[in-house]
Amino acid sequence: MTYLNPLPELDQPDTVYDIVGVGFGPANLALAIAIEEHNETVAPDQRLTAAFLEKQPTFGWHRGMLLEGATMQVSFLKDLATMRNPNSRFSFVSYLHDQGRLVDFINHKVLYPSREEFHDYLRWSAAGVDHMVRYGLEVTVVEPVEDSAEHGPVREVQVTAHGVDGTERVTYRARNLALGTGLVPCMPEGAVRSPRVWHSSEFLHRLAEFPAEAPRRFVVVGAGQSAAEVADHLHRTFDGAQVCAVLSRYGYSPADDSPYANRIFDPEAVDLYHGADPSVRSRLMDYHRNTNYGVVDIDLIDELYRRAYQEKVRGENRLRIMGTARVTHIEDGTDAVTVHVRNLADGSVEQLTADAIVYATGYTEPDPSVLLGDLAGTCRRDESGRPLVHRDYRIHTDETVETGIYLQGGTEHTHGITGNLLSMVAVRAGEIRASLVARRRASVTVPA
């Protein structure tokens, strides 16, 4: 098999890319950067060709939760490149230098930048590889290329995308695929999003459109970091409204960010986890779930408790933590939402009338088969129906497919807790890039 000249312009007819990425969040952005840096250091005929397709009109990452004062939960050193290449021009330090804030940041003495600043860093990085990206295109299906399987297994796929405004349809051919569509917001059964029923992922967008000038009450459901941040923001923003935080445990629990617990986020932990027996993987996840899931930074817990206590001193009850409780039913109306909250200890039910309810109930992993069409049947799965994934993040496929289908997310069951987190994006991008280079070399047909 021969390869094209390097770095064709996007949308050139008959181009076959080394990889097409579906989605352009931090994971595929880190991969684009890794490919860009590879191409800057190798001969032209050894460069990788790549195209990334993103349905958003511009780069954006969790914009609905870019709350003022909210900070990252990972160190700035776990950016898009530093863990893979400390000399990268795409590092957070390089961004600070370019923006003229490096000295100021050093004087700030923080490891965890604001979410707003890190988002700006991500946008700055995306601008550096924008020649690889098409925005405003939503991938609808991936299909095998018929002529690529004429004399053997499928070696190429065709990726079809439509413009989100309905005016465009494009196709891309690729030897490999990187699925990085992100996590899917999770709503409890029976809860349907509406102008008064929100998921935390859309929080700021909904709040900007909120009709009530002087809301009376908000209900926030969830026990994790997002839930606590939403409750904090509403309590600070609307000083005349009551905020009722509903959580099934007694109160917010602190995240375990101690040094040894944090080793679960180390690159070496992925090797350990991937090579372990499924029963060991399950135990490791149970042991260390409190490093990330359903937990809150201790500083925020202390601040919320301080405010609630101060209100008690004043005889107020504007921040109400409803522990050992669960929302059992909601009635969504035009002017308000009625929320039924059941006390799990004594079974009593309280009815609250609220201006809005916010579900900070997390996310689920996307099902790759939705996009893969007929190719989904070639993907091997474990006993629970989850895709089997090689160490280099490729899905195990049967012998009829040689195309590499890489998962940028949705690998928690095979690669550990970092499968869906920022902590590993730089290292994972380097591993996928190395896999692409190795597979490319193995596939090249050397002319006689």
Side-chain angles (χ1 to χ4, degrees):
M1 180 184 298
T2 57
Y3 276 76
L4 296 169
N5 291 328
L7 305 181
E9 295 293 327
L10 290 183
D11 300 339
Q12 289 297 305
D14 302 322
T15 296
V16 181
Y17 293 91
D18 287 309
I19 191 163
V20 165
V22 181
F24 200 61
N28 269 345
L29 170 54
L31 178 58
I33 289 170
I35 290 172
E36 178 82 352
E37 292 184 347
H38 167 81
N39 291 342
E40 291 172 349
T41 60
V42 298
D45 62 348
Q46 296 175 1
R47 295 175 183 168
L48 295 170
T49 56
F52 295 88
L53 310 177
E54 169 57 49
K55 67 180 179 181
Q56 294 187 99
T58 59
F59 182 87
W61 174 72
H62 291 305
R63 283 181 287 201
M65 282 295 289
L66 294 179
L67 304 176
E68 183 177 353
T71 59
M72 299 294 295
Q73 272 80 57
V74 296
S75 164
F76 70 88
L77 293 172
K78 291 187 174 181
D79 56 27
L80 298 169
T82 297
M83 295 282 285
R84 170 184 56 80
N85 174 18
N87 298 316
S88 173
R89 63 185 175 90
F90 289 92
S91 70
F92 187 77
V93 170
S94 294
Y95 155 78
L96 290 172
H97 184 268
D98 182 71
Q99 300 296 302
R101 293 201 308 272
L102 180 56
V103 172
D104 297 310
F105 186 85
I106 293 171
N107 290 336
H108 197 26
K109 298 180 181 179
V110 297
L111 275 175
Y112 308 102
S114 71
R115 201 171 295 157
E116 181 182 12
E117 183 175 31
F118 201 81
H119 183 266
D120 191 60
Y121 156 68
L122 295 175
R123 287 193 302 181
W124 174 85
S125 299
V129 290
D130 60 358
H131 56 283
M132 297 188 192
V133 192
R134 283 288 308 274
Y135 292 100
L137 288 175
E138 182 172 10
V139 174
T140 52
V141 68
V142 177
E143 302 167 295
V145 174
E146 295 296 334
D147 57 7
S148 76
E150 226 174 87
H151 305 294
V154 173
R155 294 186 175 89
E156 296 172 11
V157 293
Q158 178 173 285
V159 180
T160 300
H162 290 78
V164 293
D165 58 2
T167 61
E168 187 178 16
R169 178 183 182 275
V170 295
T171 60
Y172 291 80
R173 287 177 65 161
R175 302 179 184 89
N176 299 279
L177 193 69
L179 300 180
T181 54
L183 298 173
V184 181
C186 181
M187 295 285 283
E189 186 177 354
V192 179
R193 287 195 241 178
S194 76
R196 294 186 182 274
V197 181
W198 312 339
H199 187 270
S200 58
S201 61
E202 58 185 346
F203 176 62
L204 287 181
H205 307 313
R206 290 290 192 184
L207 205 57
E209 303 167 352
F210 194 56
E213 293 183 6
R216 298 161 295 171
R217 179 183 288 126
F218 292 97
V219 175
V220 182
V221 182
Q225 183 72 22
S226 293
E229 288 179 353
V230 167
D232 168 66
H233 184 83
L234 290 172
H235 187 261
R236 285 188 289 107
T237 304
F238 300 98
D239 56 11
Q242 184 182 58
V243 178
C244 299
V246 181
L247 49 160
S248 56
R249 62 187 63 177
Y250 199 76
Y252 295 115
S253 298
D256 184 357
D257 62 352
S258 56
Y260 287 111
N262 274 343
R263 298 199 70 175
I264 196 70
F265 302 110
D266 291 353
E268 292 80 4
V270 178
D271 290 325
L272 174 68
Y273 195 92
H274 190 270
D277 182 84
S279 63
V280 175
R281 292 179 184 175
S282 179
R283 287 199 298 273
L284 286 172
M285 186 62 69
D286 290 341
Y287 292 154
H288 296 285
R289 185 166 292 276
N290 66 340
T291 58
N292 185 69
Y293 294 113
V295 289
V296 181
D297 287 346
I298 188 62
D299 290 346
L300 181 53
I301 294 176
D302 289 343
E303 171 60 19
L304 291 173
Y305 191 90
R306 183 197 66 77
R307 281 190 231 160
Y309 181 79
Q310 189 61 35
E311 287 181 355
K312 184 174 285 190
V313 171
R314 296 170 183 161
E316 301 174 1
N317 191 21
R318 215 165 56 76
L319 178 58
R320 186 179 175 194
I321 307 300
M322 303 179 70
T324 63
R326 179 174 298 157
V327 172
T328 57
H329 180 65
I330 61 173
E331 298 164 21
D332 190 4
T334 304
D335 300 320
V337 57
T338 302
V339 183
H340 298 255
V341 181
R342 180 176 181 267
N343 185 302
L344 299 177
D346 61 21
S348 62
V349 176
E350 183 175 355
Q351 184 173 301
L352 302 172
T353 300
D355 293 273
I357 181 171
V358 186
Y359 283 99
T361 44
Y363 299 81
T364 57
E365 294 181 337
D367 182 357
S369 64
V370 173
L371 288 178
L372 292 178
D374 293 340
L375 287 170
T378 71
C379 299
R380 302 188 186 278
R381 296 180 177 269
D382 63 16
E383 294 179 354
S384 300
R386 301 168 299 190
L388 295 173
V389 187
H390 292 285
R391 177 61 184 83
D392 64 358
Y393 297 93
R394 278 181 305 121
I395 295 179
H396 278 266
T397 54
D398 64 27
E399 63 282 354
T400 66
V401 176
E402 282 190 3
T403 296
I405 304 172
Y406 294 87
L407 291 184
Q408 290 269 47
T411 58
E412 192 175 83
H413 62 292
T414 55
H415 289 67
I417 201 167
T418 58
N420 298 315
L421 304 179
L422 277 173
S423 297
M424 272 291 292
V425 292
V427 175
R428 180 169 66 230
E431 292 173 346
I432 293 176
R433 182 191 67 185
S435 175
L436 290 171
V437 170
R439 286 165 56 79
R440 186 180 192 276
R441 287 172 179 162
S443 301
V444 171
T445 300
V446 180

